[in-house]
Amino acid sequence: MSKAKPVYDAISDIKDEYINDAMQQSAPKKNGNFRYVLEAVACVVIVCGFVALSFVLRSVSGPVNTGVGAEETTEQETTERMTEQEETEQITGTEEDPVIVTDTEYVTENSDIPDNTAAVTDDLPGTEESDNGIVTYKMPEDDGPSLFDMLDIKPLDTLLPTILHGRLQYTDQTLNWLNGEEGENAPLFFEGVLVFDTQKALASMPDEIRDKSKDRYPEIDPAHGYPTLTIRVYNKENAEKDLHYIDLQEKRDYDFKYLQAGEEPFDSYIDKALFKPEQLWVGAVKSRITDKGFHIYIECGEHIVEYKYTWDDRNYVVSLEPMDANLCIMITSSRYISSRIDRSKIEEDPAPVKELRRKVIELDTVLDIIRKRPYNHYYSSIESAIISDRDPDKYNESLPYVQWDYIVHGTEELLQDYIRSDDVVEYVRVSARYRAVFYYKEMPDGEIYCSLIYRESTGGAAFDELTVENVCSNAVPLAEFEQATGIKFDFRYDQAQIAKYLDIIYSHPETTETTHRVGDTADQKGNEEAHDRLTELGVEEVDYTYDKYGLMYSKLFTLQTAFIGYQYRSYPLEYELYGNNKSTLTNIMMRGEELKICGISSESSFDEFEEVFTSLGFEVTRAGVNITASACEGGLTVRLVKQYENNGETVPSKLYFTMQTITRGVIIF
Amino acid sequence: MDDGQILKLYKERNEKALQEVKTKYGDNCRSIAFNILKNRQDAEEVFSDALLTSWDSVPAAEPASLGAYLYRITRNLALKRYRDSRRKKRAGDVVAQSLSEIEECLPSSFDVDTELQSRALSGIIDAFLSGLDIEARRVFVLRYFAGMKETEISKKLGISYGRTKASLKKSRAALSKKLKEEGYDYE
């Protein structure tokens, strides 16, 4: 043991009276121990005096050497460390008495740094990781500021919003084009809905950038002052002709109106009531098409921002953009995809659509894996694969499908093998609760195997190294997994489960092998069964009105899941919000410190959200009076008044949000 | 029930003795074992072993103090178990730390492997403890006999954490001096 062992052993043989005396002691009541109280008061006085003195000294001459030696520790410091240690023990428990961490506990303990940050940042030029693990992007000085700099958005600060909203904007490719690079590194597409708060964007944009943009593209005329949402579909070979503007407002049932190039953008699907002109102003969007690609110029007040794209090797680039907002709304890709399916083609040949639906589910699951990454590098790559790889000859060009070849960085291995079979169901489950990604394999006998693919706190398999072999081979029965990891799954909101059963619905109308798992959803019984199952899984208000081909859209669009992330500085403290309502909850807007939720069609939905937000500590006010099914005249405004303590400093919280529809087959839980 | 009555039950081989011991000394024994082992199950087993040991030994060796006797047995059994299973790194933190602290007050050349030295040590430590004031002695015993954390000691004795630490530091210095005076310094 050590040379102290004999002494330690000898202490066993000390006199009985010493042992008994010590062991029989019990803490005196504080009120009855004047000395103790006096001592505590004295300590407080001393500490306060010390702090005050230190403060005075610092205010006079900055940080000072307090005289405490580098290797010495004060009692106070020691006490703090002890407290931290004890807190840690309280969080993690002991080996024998593990504490199952809850969301908050987990995040509190592990919010600093995803262990895989370095691996990710290695892929991204210019990224730096500070000692405390915050990843920031730093462009080389000579290359000018990045888009991050322009918009003052840090990747980790806006992790989910960045991923869901920023899309390609925040990829290294985008940064490449900011540097004037073209070719293979340039982005393939621009997908997503960006709503710039121009005031904020401009305010955060360095003068030189604004001036530079203006000088470079003086020919662009300022134009329209209303928020614009457009979807553009470009085809290199016939770009001008195929330049489509799709008006989501007029044709919100996904029967799009195609316009010829040159026509003015339509008014936004976004209800204007959400925006006040002085708050939000979006200029013209113009394009310039070249052999290499195309450029989009966006007016922001007097300034112009350029987005430049090159053609992919299939000569297709799809662009979905309105430009607006620092923090923004988006329409989910699946909705986008779904909306672009030509139903007449589906009736002719439903097989590809079924395949698409399946892949959408699976892909979205994987996308959510990527969303958990500290950077959305992979996300946009995969997303680009979804959008850009289409086969117009076969499916009327509006039907995209997934081209696996586009998927990068090992994700294709993951994706390709998430193929559901009749015997074994494999899927990935992303847990916001544990900030981890799990692999599941459900056997025909019902036993579930599980393995950890990735976890922010502990890493896990490097994403690039993921293979089916090493993931699947690590899978152990769920009970063992839970016992070994201390992770307890709550399947109530298990997105994979829901996705799986949604897949059943997706698989409709044909009876497939998949549908047999819970019944044939082609009939009412199957619908009811699926409904019950979904309800059991926590999805409320499942409307399963059956319609042969429109079912999956008209129905699934009724299921909405909102995920509210609550972020304090760079430390993601997540809360979960599930809002299921029958209307299309399409708009969750953030304005400054207000979060506005629109599109809630019923009082009960209001109540639901209000309750949740209130429970999260926010002030909730109802801004709207007219609740309509169509949108945003009504609204729920959440004021972010929740304060957070950090090292004694009270700082306002920062709320971010994401919104997904269950149509994607994904629920973040 | 006082110790005399319990010992009488022991002698009568009445198992009620163990129940009484559990009631009277169980918490402290478990606490000592747990402080060393950091494992409730192990601590419980050690306590059971201590009861069994006492059951086997009491008729022959009637302890002057049943409590101290049980504490000592428990501690020794716990230490033995700790040494047997110290590969568990978490389990030994407190013990290792307290050992380290004890080691600090030993001369660098200190080597007490010899039986003679070992036997003499108990008496030296007793003498050392007798020289401490009551509070310092209690702190020392709770720390190095019962294996309690400083925070636990301060709570138990109703003194501040800083006072506890200072007391231990002072005691260790005194023990070091005492050991040197007793010839455990060959330098």
Side-chain angles (χ1 to χ4, degrees), chain A residues 520-521 523-532 544 546 555:
Chain A
D520 180 4
T521 55
D523 58 24
Q524 184 65 22
K525 183 176 181 299
N527 271 328
E528 290 174 355
E529 201 167 351
H531 170 271
D532 291 342
Y544 53 92
Y546 176 67
K555 174 164 64 178

Side-chain angles (χ1 to χ4, degrees), chain A residues 137-158:
Chain A
Y137 188 92
K138 184 179 180 181
M139 292 288 288
E141 292 181 4
D142 295 338
D143 293 330
S146 70
L147 195 60
F148 293 134
D149 298 322
M150 293 165 63
L151 299 181
D152 193 29
I153 293 175
K154 300 295 185 294
L156 279 184
D157 284 343
T158 53

Side-chain angles (χ1 to χ4, degrees), chain A residues 7 44 65 88 97 147 163 264 314 332 387 440 483 567 610 653 664:
Chain A
V7 178
V44 170
N65 187 336
T88 301
D97 188 17
L147 195 60
I163 292 170
E264 297 296 338
R314 297 171 61 88
T332 62
I387 304 302
Y440 283 84
Q483 186 175 15
Q567 185 181 38
E610 187 171 29
S653 61
R664 312 186 69 193

Side-chain angles (χ1 to χ4, degrees), chain A residues 187-220:
Chain A
L188 297 177
F189 83 114
F190 189 77
E191 193 274 341
V193 180
L194 292 176
V195 184
F196 289 115
D197 182 326
T198 52
Q199 297 303 316
K200 286 186 178 178
L202 289 172
S204 61
M205 190 179 294
D207 291 341
E208 56 270 27
I209 294 298
R210 288 195 293 256
D211 295 341
K212 186 179 178 182
S213 298
K214 188 176 181 180
D215 293 337
R216 286 173 64 186
Y217 307 105
E219 72 278 10
I220 302 299

Side-chain angles (χ1 to χ4, degrees), chain A residues 1 6 9 12 14 20 27, chain B residues 65 72 75-76 83 99 112:
Chain A
M1 183 179 284
D9 287 344
S12 286
I14 60 177
N20 288 330
Chain B
S65 168
R72 191 175 289 118
R75 183 177 187 269
N76 289 338
R83 287 160 184 155
L99 271 171
V112 284

